[in-house]
């Protein structure tokens, strides 16, 4: 039986990867940060099957301990300050976790078990101001946020430890992936949550930033499978994981509202653009410049051919199906919230 150590286990990807590895018979260890209120996040439902270790990416001693306790054969580094917008507010913390944190973990592996296989969660944000469309493994990087810059360091240090110390270390350059477990500050979940609240009449309007921004969106469940496949090959390498489809934030909004049964009509341009509920005439989507970023990544579109050919990776969940699942999940959650508040009143 293999042992796996997952950093960022309480996050979106950590939860789907835990489920996948448990289903394959792994002993799953996860590092968790100490919080004032114990919170298992997205792995609450499987917490009894996971061995938790308190550690932090910024504390190498805790990572060495985690390696010793877990005796990990495979290490998946998913921990990060993962919200791009926050990286302008906390650039130093973002670098300490997303950049130096990777070196801390690689050192912990080198010291305790250099035979352990390592996965680094790299990102399409590293392409930033894209130098070609679509983006693949050889596309030059041009990060556009403190998050992207820090992740680029994590990407190169992973490659460097592979080449310097012969570690089995891989970077997955994953494009945006979402799910019912996505944090509500990310645009997709913000939209599906708001669409459900507007449908139930407990929110009036959804305020967004740049709706022209284009992303290549897949489902997290498909993407964690790619992480595992990367660590099962003969030789370590880096792979782009994407759907090869791109859509604007505006298109995401339209489809999400469609799944709640609301038909949207757009009026106005730029910051005066509004989305109107055709059946009521009410404005339910507006632009708020507070959500614009100091520098934007305008378009992401990934070419996953290398992963499809070598890893035999294939996505199973279509874009439409993903949006539908997210909306249905939020409709259920909001309905429960409404029922509870009615009972309490
Ligand atoms: P997520 O839901 O935000 O999860 C991030 C995890 O990192 C959480 O468990 C968080 O723990 C943990 N963490 C943050 N700071 C830490 C620290 N100092 N020490 C230890 N743990 C820490 O992110 P995700 O969407 O699952 O993404 C997983 C990874 O893939 C991240 O590295 C992200 O940057 C990268 N990535 C994501 C996407 C995407 O579209 N989802 C695409 C490309 C790459 P707490 O619960 O304590 O906050
Ligand atoms: N969050 C947010 N909120 N984004 C908005 C909003 C809003 O109100 N309005 C428009 N957007 C736009 C952002 O400007 C961005 O262009 C796009 O929607 C997607 O934003 P996010 O969902 O926050 O994701 P991201 O693309 O910045 O970053 C995600 O994907 C990366 C991979 O490309 C994160 O998961 C990163 O951790 C990941 O590396």
């Amino acid at each position: 039986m293999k042992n796996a150590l997952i950093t960022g286990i309480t996050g979106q990807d950590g939860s789907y990867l835990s489920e996948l590895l448990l289903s394959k018979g792994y002993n799953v260890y996860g590092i968790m940060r100490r919080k004032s209120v114990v919170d298992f996040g997205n792995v609450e439902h499987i917490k009894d099957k996971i061995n938790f270790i308190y550690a932090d990416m910024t504390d190498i001693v805790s990572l060495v301990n985690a390696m010793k306790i877990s005796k990990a054969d495979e290490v998946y580094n998913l921990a990060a300050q993962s919200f791009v917008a926050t990286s302008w507010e906390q650039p130093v913390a973002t670098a300490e976790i997303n950049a130096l944190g990777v070196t801390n973990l690689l050192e912990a592996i080198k010291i305790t078990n250099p035979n352990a296989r390592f996965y680094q969660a790299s990102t399409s944000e590293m392409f930033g101001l894209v130098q070609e469309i679509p983006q693949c493994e050889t596309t030059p990087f041009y990060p556009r946020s403190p998050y992207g810059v820090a992740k680029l360091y994590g990407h190169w240090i992973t490659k460097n430890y592979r080449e310097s110390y012969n570690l089995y270390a891989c970077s997955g350059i994953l494009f945006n992936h979402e799910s019912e477990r996505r944090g509500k500050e990310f645009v997709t979940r913000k939209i599906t949550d708001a669409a459900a609240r507007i449908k139930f009449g407990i929110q009036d309007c959804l305020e967004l930033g740049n709706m022209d921004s284009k992303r290549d969106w897949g489902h997290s469940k498909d993407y964690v499978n790619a992480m595992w496949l990367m660590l099962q090959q003969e030789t370590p390498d880096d792979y782009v994981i994407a759907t090869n489809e791109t859509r604007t934030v505006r298109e995401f909004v339209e489809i999400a509202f469609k799944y709640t049964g609301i038909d949207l009509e757009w009026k106005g341009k730029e910051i005066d653009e509004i989305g109107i509920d055709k059946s009521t005439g009410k404005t339910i989507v507006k632009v708020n410049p507070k959500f614009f970023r100091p520098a934007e990544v305008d378009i992401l579109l990934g070419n996953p051919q290398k992963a499809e050919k070598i890893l035999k990776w294939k996505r199973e969940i279509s874009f439409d199906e993903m949006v539908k699942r997210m909306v249905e999940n939020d409709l259920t959650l909001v309905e429960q919230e409404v029922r509870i508040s009615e009972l309490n009143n």
Side-chain angles (χ1 to χ4, degrees), residues 134-342:
Q135 299 86 48
C136 65
E137 292 79 3
T138 53
T139 302
F141 298 116
Y142 194 136
R144 290 271 278 177
S145 60
Y147 169 86
V149 173
K151 279 283 183 177
L152 192 51
Y153 173 95
H155 182 73
W156 281 109
I157 201 72
T158 300
K159 235 182 194 336
N160 181 261
Y161 270 53
R162 178 165 81 215
E163 292 170 5
S164 305
Y165 303 115
N166 208 22
L167 295 189
Y168 188 110
C170 302
S171 266
I173 307 175
L174 271 51
F175 282 61
N176 296 51
H177 46 280
E178 318 294 313
S179 74
E180 302 87 307
R181 299 177 191 168
R182 187 62 143 151
K184 286 186 185 168
E185 69 273 46
F186 297 95
V187 78
T188 55
R189 186 79 195 285
K190 180 176 172 180
I191 295 167
T192 59
D193 175 62
R197 288 175 186 280
I198 290 168
K199 177 74 180 173
F200 276 94
I202 58 167
Q203 182 172 329
D204 295 328
C205 191
L206 162 66
E207 294 189 348
L208 291 171
N210 177 13
M211 285 195 278
D212 292 319
S213 173
K214 291 177 121 181
R215 288 291 182 275
D216 179 327
W217 278 297
H219 196 289
S220 171
K221 204 169 179 183
D222 282 338
Y223 285 40
V224 300
N225 194 32
M227 298 173 187
W228 177 76
L229 285 168
M230 281 178 220
L231 298 200
Q232 314 310 314
Q233 306 304 307
E234 253 176 53
T235 47
D237 206 347
D238 306 327
Y239 297 89
V240 158
I241 303 297
T243 69
N244 199 223
E245 293 169 14
T246 190
R247 289 178 175 81
T248 61
V249 170
R250 189 178 296 97
E251 283 174 272
F252 194 104
V253 173
E254 283 164 14
I255 298 170
F257 275 99
K258 183 189 86 181
Y259 282 120
T260 67
I262 296 175
D263 215 0
L264 263 187
E265 187 179 20
W266 298 104
K267 285 206 176 138
K269 284 221 173 322
E270 296 169 355
I271 62 162
D272 294 322
E273 183 170 10
I274 51 172
I276 295 171
D277 179 342
K278 269 193 193 169
S279 69
T280 63
K282 280 190 186 158
T283 298
I284 53 172
V285 185
K286 317 196 240 216
V287 177
N288 185 338
K290 120 173 162 198
F291 297 112
F292 290 150
R293 294 179 177 177
E296 180 61 281
V297 172
D298 295 320
I299 172 164
L300 290 176
L301 174 64
N303 175 353
Q305 271 177 9
K306 179 177 168 186
E308 286 170 351
K309 187 164 171 246
I310 298 173
L311 304 178
K312 310 274 181 279
W313 176 79
K314 201 168 144 290
R315 78 155 162 161
E316 306 286 339
I317 304 169
S318 70
F319 175 79
D320 253 64
E321 174 62 22
M322 178 187 78
V323 183
K324 185 164 170 270
R325 287 188 193 185
M326 290 176 72
V327 171
E328 283 172 355
N329 173 64
D330 280 325
L331 284 169
T332 307
L333 292 177
V334 173
E335 188 179 11
Q336 281 165 3
E337 198 182 308
V338 169
R339 283 221 182 116
I340 291 167
S341 104
E342 281 168 359

Side-chain angles (χ1 to χ4, degrees), residues 7-15 31-35 39-42 55-59 63 77-83 93 96-98 119-125 147 151 172-178 181-183 185-186 217 220 223 227:
T7 75
I9 196 154
T10 55
Q12 170 187 257
D13 291 1
S15 70
I31 78 156
M32 218 170 102
R33 289 193 283 185
R34 193 259 157 195
K35 290 181 190 148
D39 178 8
F40 293 96
N42 283 305
D56 193 296
M57 293 306 293
T58 59
D59 179 352
L63 298 175
N77 183 29
L78 310 185
Q81 189 302 94
S82 69
F83 190 43
E96 281 169 353
I97 301 165
N98 298 7
Y119 172 84
Q120 166 61 13
S122 285
T123 163
S124 47
E125 268 287 312
Y147 169 86
K151 279 283 183 177
I173 307 175
L174 271 51
F175 282 61
N176 296 51
H177 46 280
E178 318 294 313
R181 299 177 191 168
R182 187 62 143 151
E185 69 273 46
F186 297 95
W217 278 297
S220 171
Y223 285 40
M227 298 173 187

